[in-house]
Amino acid sequence: VAGAKLGAVVMMAISLLLARCTGSVSSSATGTRTSAAVHITARTQVRVTPIVSVASPRAPHPSVSAGVTWSVVPSINPRPASTSNTLSSVSCVSATSCMAVGETDYKSGAIVNLAESWNGQSFYLVKVLQPGPSVALGNVSCVSSDSCFVLGLTANAITAFANWRNTSSTKWSLLPGGNNIDLVALSCPAATRCVAVGFGGQGTLRKTLVESWSGKRWSVVRTPNRGPSHDYDDLSSVSCASPRFCVAVGTYGLQIRTRLSSSKTLVEMWNGTRWSVVPSRNAGLPSDFDFLNSVACYSPTFCIAVGSYANYGGAIERTLVEHWNGRAWSIMRSPNRGGVYGAEDELNGVA
């Protein structure tokens, strides 16, 4: 977070799934899973696995100095002796204002939402209304230090939405589509504008899904798919630089016996009026698998999308980073930490 204040562009090769700066980190101890928060600072020593970063070809700010490291920051774990606590998403508006959300799982099977706020020195628990008996918070997007929007999943697999303001959350509302949809990412460029993306469909059929918040209600927005020859169109991340410019990334492909036979990167853009497919790059062969898992946009002329590509057998998986310059997407060279055979290098988040 402090790295953003220093004017850095940082790619994170850890288990994160971000819209703006979203992520999931968990650790295990004596069979009980506890949440953990990861923070970047220019003064602390490395206390977690070093992160390989990728320099931007046209970064809007100076690069991070070589002395910047990652460290574990203590976070809150309610009732750790009998529960499992997980943080799945985080959004930061400054180095002193972040919101992380997730869930607390009881041994009885009950699920309670979990939200923690960062004030620049420590995390503390914040109250988010519980709309039902079992609701997990899956995504958060903050528009200011005292206003964040959160997505949750109810016990009957219906996506719910609420606005957290300062000390409490507003009444929850259910998103259109019922339990035949899966909304996995959220980006709110303004207090009256949010975009959620994912997929909808019946059975194994997947089609892109985008829903928009006007400040009063949600509505499904028409989005394109790659055509009748593909039965798998999935959006996994969205980033809005403004209400009139959003980018959603994901994957499309063809399934054989409910499994992807091959896949290619999918990028769609919002110009303030409609969504359209924008040509994106693929690093693998035609029969290989290419995925985009996360995207971050700073302006209509600067976006970074990350993911991976793998050969058909899945024996080798390599990182994939793409850059948008306002005209076209291009592949950026990115390092890998694994060996030659059986290695899995994947980027799941970018901020």
Side-chain angles (χ1 to χ4, degrees), residues 32-80:
T32 300
R33 185 175 57 181
T34 59
S35 62
V38 180
H39 177 257
I40 189 169
T41 172
R43 295 181 294 276
T44 58
Q45 300 296 316
V46 176
R47 298 179 186 176
V48 293
T49 303
I51 303 300
V52 178
S53 54
V54 184
S56 160
R58 195 181 70 182
H61 305 291
S63 298
V64 182
S65 66
V68 172
T69 58
W70 288 91
S71 63
V72 174
V73 176
S75 56
I76 309 300
N77 288 285
R79 306 173 186 86

Side-chain angles (χ1 to χ4, degrees), residues 26 72 75 98 121 192 222 229 246 250 255 278 280 291 309 315 338-339:
S26 61
V72 174
S75 56
C98 298
Q121 297 181 336
T192 57
R222 184 176 181 180
S229 60
C246 300
Q255 299 180 100
V278 177
S280 54
F291 304 92
Y309 68 97

Side-chain angles (χ1 to χ4, degrees), residues 203-250:
T204 61
L205 179 66
R206 287 194 178 190
K207 295 299 178 184
T208 58
L209 176 65
V210 173
E211 298 194 12
S212 177
W213 170 255
S214 65
K216 294 183 179 181
R217 62 180 60 87
W218 283 93
S219 59
V220 176
V221 182
R222 184 176 181 180
T223 52
N225 291 279
R226 290 306 302 254
S229 60
H230 304 96
D231 58 2
Y232 188 99
D233 294 82
D234 190 348
L235 296 176
S236 58
S237 179
V238 62
S239 180
C240 297
S242 73
R244 297 187 61 84
F245 181 80
C246 300
V247 174
V249 301

Side-chain angles (χ1 to χ4, degrees), residues 91 93 97-99 140-150 161-166 186 188:
S91 179
V93 295
S97 180
C98 298
M99 175 74 79
V140 60
S141 182
C142 297
V143 294
S144 67
S145 59
D146 61 355
S147 181
C148 298
F149 295 91
V150 292
F161 168 83
N163 181 205
W164 177 88
R165 289 182 176 274
N166 198 9
L186 176 72
C188 300

Side-chain angles (χ1 to χ4, degrees), residues 172-201:
W172 286 81
S173 60
L174 300 181
L175 276 70
N179 55 9
N180 293 321
I181 67 173
D182 192 354
L183 293 168
V184 298
L186 176 72
S187 182
C188 300
T192 57
R193 171 68 170 166
C194 289
V195 175
V197 304
F199 66 87

